[in-house]
Structures are given as structure tokens and as C-alpha cells.
């Protein structure tokens, strides 16, 4: 029933979000852990999409969804016939190139397309938002984290609702949403005057209750006006051990964040661009260098056109 609800993109399409996604390089991977953490800042991948024609088709359709503001249903309806034609649909036998194991792999499905749509759409919007925040932080120096429209929330994400920190606070390196598959938390950039107002009066509480119509006993669609104070110091980051069975390595992952989602792709790619400008990218991943080169070329064109 939930999959029948139409899902729309998270707001208007910022050019920065489209630029961030469209300049990604294709990175085939059999397992979602084959392309990891910061690599998603410059690589487009979908687990089990090891053929370039399939991965290219997926990337093109996601890019069109971002640029044209397509809904999930439109994305699914247009992409499914194409993937079926390419043979990337349903459950099929596949060989894991790392282990040589033959396994039943889930390729395309409505559920997988929903995951691909939401994860890429929200990550691109977040990266674009970060770039705008960096550009305008002199006038809008703070970010406020709030819960999104999910029906259920992780306890940690509820606790982070109302976190109000300077854009340059290192907490955002790992806690810039989305922080997991299905996470709809968001941040809003604010100025000093609104910061003062929030510190004084708080913001709508995370646990506001539905107002019930006393005559019908049914929810009215509105919530009570309970408010909570904002948090102006970064929450303590508690790390837990998580073993990456793909590599055999044990990594430290912040509690409340899905493994691999404790990154800030927009900031990572910006830092990489700054390193390239400083001439320090000789030893960088070739794909990252290629993406940053395209970013720099686009920036040069944009700058020249604004003179």
C-alpha cells in the first residue's frame, strides 16, 4: 500500500544539485559496499548493475528525474521497460566477481527503483544545498537540522531535531542528511536574526501530538503547538564497530547513521576541488580527478559568463 503513494522530489531543482549528479562518473559495482562512503561524491553506482549500458541507463533516468522534477511513479514507469529490454529485471543468477560465488541476485524491481530514486534525489539535493550554504554563509551562517515527513524516525534522528550549529561546525561532516536509506531529515540555512529567535523561543517539537476532533474522534490533520529548545552545541558522536564483510575491515560508524552514510558529499567534492586548485591531486583517484576537472571547467565557463 505504501508503494502506491506518489512520491515527489524534495522541492524545486537547484542547479547545484543537477551539476553535482550529472558530473559523476560511472562506477560499476556488484555489492553496495564496492563503492563506499566519500566515493559517492563523484561516482554513480547501483549494486548488481555491472554492465555499463545498464548503469548508464539508470544514471540518465535519475538525471532526468532530477532536472525535470519527475515523481517516483514517472521514474518507475519510464525506466522499467528499458531495464526489462536490457535484461536487468527480476531475480537472476549472478556471479560475484570478488568471491566467484553464484547467487540469486535481485536486479530491477519497483522497490529497488524506489530506493535508487530516493537515495540519489536526496543526496544530490543535499550536496547542492551544501554548495549554496558555503557560498552564502556570510549572511546565512547557520544550519538547523529538523525531522522530515517520514512516518517513523530513528531515535537518534529525533534527538538531533533542533540541532542549530554554524555551517563550519565539523559535526556536519558526518551528520549532513540524508544519513541512511529512507532518511528524510533535512537542514535549513538561517541568518543571525532567526538564530537569535530560535535560541529564545525554540522550534516546533519533534513529538507533537495529532489534534483529535472531539466530536468525531478522528485526527484533524493538525498537531499541537508544543515547542522545544534548540541545541546550539554539537551532539556527542558515539561510534560503534561495524564489520564490512565485503572487505573484512572493521569500521567505526556513528550511532544512528547507516554504514556508509556518515559523509557530506557536497563538502567532500568541494575540498577535492580546492586540492586540485592547489595542485595536490596528482595521487588522487582518477575518477575523482576527472569529476573535479569537469567541475572546474564548468565553474570557469560560469565565471566568464558573469563578467
Amino acid at each position: 500500500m505504501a508503494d502506491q503513494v506518489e512520491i515527489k522530489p524534495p522541492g524545486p531543482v537547484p542547479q547545484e544539485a543537477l551539476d553535482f549528479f550529472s558530473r559523476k562518473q560511472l562506477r560499476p559495482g556488484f555489492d553496495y559496499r564496492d563503492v563506499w562512503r566519500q566515493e559517492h561524491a563523484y561516482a554513480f553506482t547501483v549494486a548488481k548493475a555491472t554492465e555499463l549500458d545498464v548503469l548508464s541507463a539508470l544514471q540518465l533516468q535519475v538525471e532526468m528525474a532530477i532536472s525535470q522534477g519527475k515523481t517516483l511513479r514517472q521514474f518507475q514507469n519510464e525506466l522499467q521497460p528499458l531495464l526489462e529490454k536490457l535484461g536487468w529485471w527480476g531475480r537472476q543468477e549472478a556471479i560475484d566477481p570478488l568471491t566467484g560465488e553464484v547467487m540469486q541476485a535481485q536486479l530491477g524491481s519497483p522497490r529497488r527503483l524506489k530506493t535508487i530514486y530516493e537515495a540519489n534525489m536526496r543526496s544530490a539535493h543535499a550536496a547542492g544545498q551544501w554548495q549554496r550554504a558555503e557560498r552564502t554563509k556570510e549572511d546565512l551562517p547557520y544550519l538547523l537540522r529538523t525531522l522530515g515527513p517520514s512516518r517513523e524516525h530513528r531515535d537518534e534522528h529525533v534527538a538531533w531535531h533542533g540541532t542549530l550549529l554554524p555551517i563550519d561546525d565539523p559535526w556536519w561532516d558526518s551528520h549532513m542528511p540524508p544519513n541512511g536509506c529512507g532518511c528524510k531529515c533535512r537542514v535549513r540555512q538561517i541568518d543571525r536574526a532567526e538564530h537569535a529567535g530560535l535560541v529564545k523561543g525554540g522550534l516546533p517539537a519533534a513529538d507533537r501530538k495529532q489534534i483529535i476532533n472531539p466530536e468525531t474522534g478522528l485526527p484533524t490533520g493538525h498537531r499541537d503547538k508544543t515547542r522545544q529548545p534548540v541545541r546550539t552545541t554539537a551532539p556527542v558522536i558515539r561510534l560503534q564497530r561495524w564489520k564490512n564483510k565485503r572487505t573484512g575491515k572493521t569500521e567505526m560508524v556513528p550511532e544512528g547513521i547507516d554504514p556508509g552514510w556518515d559523509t557530506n558529499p557536497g563538502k567532500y567534492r568541494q575540498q577535492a576541488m580546492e586540492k586540485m586548485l592547489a595542485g595536490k591531486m596528482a595521487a588522487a583517484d582518477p575518477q575523482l580527478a576527472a569529476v573535479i576537472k569537469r567541475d572546474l571547467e564548468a565553474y570557469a565557463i560560469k565565471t566568464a559568463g558573469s563578467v
Side-chain angles (χ1 to χ4, degrees):
M1 192 69 181
D3 287 345
Q4 296 178 11
V5 176
E6 186 65 305
I7 297 176
K8 299 179 180 180
V13 182
Q15 186 61 43
E16 294 92 343
L18 181 59
D19 291 344
F20 171 83
F21 184 83
S22 63
R23 293 173 191 152
K24 285 188 175 188
Q25 301 288 303
L26 298 178
R27 177 72 71 84
F30 187 82
D31 187 278
Y32 77 95
R33 292 161 293 193
D34 290 343
V35 180
W36 195 239
R37 303 187 76 238
Q38 288 93 341
E39 290 179 297
H40 287 279
Y42 58 89
F44 176 75
T45 189
V46 173
K48 308 298 186 296
T50 56
E51 302 292 334
L52 286 177
D53 57 348
V54 172
L55 194 58
S56 180
L58 287 163
Q59 184 185 40
L60 177 60
Q61 290 298 319
V62 173
E63 184 176 340
M64 290 173 61
I66 294 173
S67 64
Q68 299 174 22
K70 292 184 178 181
T71 65
L72 171 62
R73 187 172 300 161
Q74 290 172 320
F75 176 74
Q76 291 173 324
N77 290 344
E78 294 174 12
L79 186 52
Q80 180 173 341
L82 179 57
L83 295 177
E84 289 176 341
K85 184 177 180 180
L86 292 171
W88 199 80
W89 196 259
R91 294 189 67 82
Q92 298 181 27
E93 279 194 353
I95 300 175
D96 186 337
L98 181 66
T99 65
E101 177 187 2
V102 178
M103 59 186 298
Q104 282 290 319
Q106 177 64 61
L107 304 182
S109 70
R111 186 180 183 86
R112 286 211 68 193
L113 293 190
K114 178 184 177 186
T115 299
I116 293 167
Y117 173 91
E118 290 187 333
N120 284 283
M121 191 75 71
R122 294 191 181 281
S123 295
H125 275 255
Q129 184 179 20
W130 183 264
Q131 292 176 28
R132 294 194 306 280
E134 284 284 0
R135 190 173 64 245
T136 59
K137 65 182 180 182
E138 184 174 344
D139 296 319
L140 301 163
Y142 300 98
L143 290 177
L144 172 68
R145 176 165 177 147
T146 58
L147 291 173
S150 298
R151 293 180 181 177
E152 297 181 3
H153 304 282
R154 297 166 176 82
D155 291 342
E156 293 87 354
H157 294 202
V158 173
W160 299 333
H161 175 76
T163 300
L164 177 58
L165 302 172
I167 289 171
D168 292 330
D169 193 292
W171 193 75
W172 299 117
D173 292 354
S174 56
H175 288 71
M176 180 73 177
N179 292 131
C181 191
C183 172
K184 297 183 179 67
C185 293
R186 50 203 175 194
V187 297
R188 185 163 62 84
Q189 191 177 2
I190 65 173
D191 60 18
R192 293 173 179 83
E194 186 175 0
H195 177 276
L198 287 167
V199 169
K200 181 179 180 180
L203 81 166
D207 59 351
R208 290 180 299 155
K209 307 300 182 185
Q210 279 273 7
I211 296 176
I212 304 300
N213 186 317
E215 296 181 1
T216 65
L218 298 175
T220 62
H222 301 285
R223 295 183 181 275
D224 65 39
K225 297 182 179 181
T226 305
R227 299 181 73 82
Q228 70 176 66
V230 295
R231 180 200 294 259
T232 56
T233 57
V236 174
I237 299 177
R238 295 182 173 84
L239 300 176
Q240 57 185 352
R241 293 181 179 275
W242 177 78
K243 186 173 182 179
N244 187 331
K245 295 181 181 179
R246 194 70 177 165
T247 63
K249 296 180 179 179
T250 297
E251 303 183 31
M252 303 304 294
V253 177
E255 291 183 359
I257 298 181
D258 291 353
W261 290 78
D262 55 329
T263 65
N264 185 333
K267 182 173 184 178
Y268 176 72
R269 202 150 111 182
Q270 180 178 335
Q271 290 174 336
M273 184 185 293
E274 292 170 354
K275 287 182 180 179
M276 178 170 271
L277 285 171
K280 299 177 181 178
M281 289 291 290
D285 183 299
Q287 281 198 318
L288 173 58
V291 170
I292 300 304
K293 184 173 184 292
R294 292 173 65 184
D295 284 350
L296 289 171
E297 290 170 349
Y299 177 77
I301 292 172
K302 186 183 296 185
T303 304
S306 63
V307 174

